[in-house]
Amino acid sequence: QSVLTQPPSASGSPGQSVTISCTGTSSDVGGYNYVSWYQQHPGKAPKLMIFEVSKRPSGVPDRFSGSKSGNTASLTVSGLQAEDEADYYCSSYGGSNNVVFGGGTTLTV
Amino acid sequence: EVQLVESGGGSVQPGGSLRLSCVASGFTFSDFWMSWVRQAPGKGLEWVANIKHDGSDTFYVDSVKGRFTISRDNAKNSVFLQMNSLRAEDTAVYYCARAAAAASRDYWGQGTLVTVSS
């Protein structure tokens, strides 16, 4: 059982927007601005999409955005494209040099 | 170009041992913390271990403490995961990842599969 809670699935049509939530506690998501989001296509390694709640690494389209309110972080994908179909995982610093992940959300476009 | 290449996975019986290796290139290895993250078949990601840039400190998820040891050789741009007393629940793809700002992992290897079964 994962520490952070994500919906198992999400979906949207091409061009639409979809938001994926990630709920933790005050000991992880709510306690630090250290939430990351990863995209994983089948059989591939994860790819960092968002770090420090809302920052995008170089090369990640600005269609991907992150936010946080209290103990819940969110990833929004705007202007959905077929290649966005993948699994998405949130992660947070959990204190005491621990890192925790969510169970993952399968996004269907 | 940053590259991380894992090796050492395979099949082992419960109670056995394996040593995973990860060779890094394309960046100054000794400047970065490194991590191992695993993914059981059909399941989500689980952080396993971190090691500081100079190897002076290590951190583990509770489920592997006392059984797994992360280490590194900065002269060889390599990080290792020694896994002892393996259990069926350790079966997973193990990824080597570079630890970047604020607990994120910005580059990942392709993974190596560890199967623990009798």
Side-chain angles (χ1 to χ4, degrees):
Chain A
Q1 189 170 353
S2 300
V3 174
L4 306 181
T5 300
Q6 298 181 235
S9 62
S11 64
S13 300
Q16 289 186 333
S17 295
V18 66
T19 296
I20 299 170
S21 63
C22 170
T23 301
T25 69
S26 58
S27 296
D28 37 66
V29 173
Y32 310 92
N33 288 323
Y34 294 158
V35 176
S36 305
W37 289 90
Y38 300 88
Q39 177 192 65
Q40 187 180 35
H41 288 107
K44 300 296 187 182
K47 175 186 177 183
L48 179 65
M49 305 301 285
I50 296 286
F51 66 99
E52 290 183 27
V53 176
S54 60
K55 297 179 181 179
R56 281 187 309 277
S58 174
V60 172
D62 60 6
R63 302 185 294 103
F64 291 85
S65 62
S67 62
K68 190 186 84 166
S69 177
N71 296 335
T72 298
S74 298
L75 172 71
T76 298
V77 186
S78 305
L80 277 171
Q81 299 182 5
E83 60 261 36
D84 298 333
E85 187 161 293
D87 292 330
Y88 290 84
Y89 294 91
C90 64
S91 174
S92 174
Y93 180 64
S96 301
N97 287 295
N98 287 318
V99 176
V100 292
F101 281 93
T105 298
T106 298
L107 174 60
T108 302
V109 180
Chain B
E1 178 193 7
V2 172
Q3 285 196 325
L4 299 169
V5 180
E6 302 98 333
S7 61
S11 294
V12 63
Q13 292 188 338
S17 298
L18 275 178
R19 186 184 193 226
L20 306 183
S21 299
C22 170
V23 178
S25 60
F27 65 101
T28 303
F29 182 72
S30 58
D31 284 350
F32 289 87
W33 288 41
M34 296 296 293
S35 297
W36 288 96
V37 177
R38 67 184 178 184
Q39 186 171 33
K43 302 298 184 182
L45 301 171
E46 180 183 38
W47 168 75
V48 174
N50 280 351
I51 186 166
K52 282 189 171 181
H53 63 286
D54 60 359
S56 62
D57 214 345
T58 57
F59 310 93
Y60 302 91
V61 67
D62 285 346
S63 59
V64 309
K65 284 180 182 175
R67 300 188 300 123
F68 290 12
T69 302
I70 187 172
S71 62
R72 65 191 296 159
D73 183 342
N74 285 348
K76 296 183 178 179
N77 288 353
S78 297
V79 60
F80 309 99
L81 187 66
Q82 177 67 44
M83 304 185 296
N84 298 331
S85 303
L86 282 161
R87 306 167 180 167
E89 54 265 36
D90 296 318
T91 294
V93 173
Y94 284 74
Y95 293 101
C96 165
R98 189 177 83 168
S104 64
R105 275 114 195 95
D106 59 352
Y107 288 95
W108 298 63
Q110 84 288 352
T112 187
L113 176 62
V114 172
T115 303
V116 184
S117 173
S118 55

